[in-house]
Every structure is written in C-alpha cells, then in structure tokens.
Amino acid sequence: MPVIDNRRRRLGAAAGTALLTLTLAGCSGLGRTAVGPVTYTTERKAVIQVNSPSVRGCHPLAPAGAKEVENGTLIDIILYRTRDCTGPGTTYLATRLTDQKAPDSLPWRSFTTVH
C-alpha cells in the first residue's frame, strides 16, 4: 500500500506543477504594464503623469510634446520626436532617470517601453 500512496503523491504533485505552469504561461502576456509613472513637463510647464503604461505599443505625449521626461517605471523607455514612435533622434531613458531636451532640439512626442 505505501507504494501506491507514493505514486499518487507524485502524480498529484506533477499534475499540480503542470497546472500551475500552464496558468502562469497563459496569463503572462495579459495586461503587462511598466510599473510606476512616466512624468513629463510640456513647453508650457504643465506636468503630466502617465501611471503604469502598457509595455506594448506607442504612447503619445501631449500634442505640444515634452521638454523634460522622468522615467519612474521599473523598465527603460525610448523617447521619440514624432507622435508615432518612428524616425531618428531617439533618446534611451533608463529606469529611474530624468532627461531634458537640448534647447535647440524638438520636443519628445511619444515613447515606447523596452521589454
């Protein structure tokens, strides 16, 4: 009888492990966010905060753009001078850092996350 009990325990443990693995794999891509805020200041000195943005897609900033961006999230971001996250002149902003645009350059108008 002890041999049967050990087999049942092993089978139960294996089934539980497989179920847990499938559950985690199925939910891992849903609703992932960059935990924390991206805070930016516009040319008119308005301070705007985007809390926990999605890790997917392009995130447009205010129409006039941003002159200063603080990445308070747990992942890095890339700043773009266009509204659609394309083109040259990007800036890589690591987590927990702040960057200001150069006086003669265009403002940042969008960002993506690095994941």
Side-chain angles (χ1 to χ4, degrees), residues 25-76:
C27 294
S28 66
L30 302 175
R32 291 183 13 204
T33 63
V35 177
V38 173
T39 306
Y40 63 95
T41 306
T42 66
E43 296 287 341
R44 295 182 180 166
K45 298 187 174 140
V47 177
I48 300 171
Q49 190 173 63
V50 179
N51 287 308
S52 298
S54 171
V55 297
R56 295 184 179 185
C58 179
H59 302 279
L61 301 176
K67 67 177 185 174
E68 180 178 318
V69 178
E70 177 185 352
N71 181 8
T73 68
L74 298 178
I75 62 175
D76 300 346

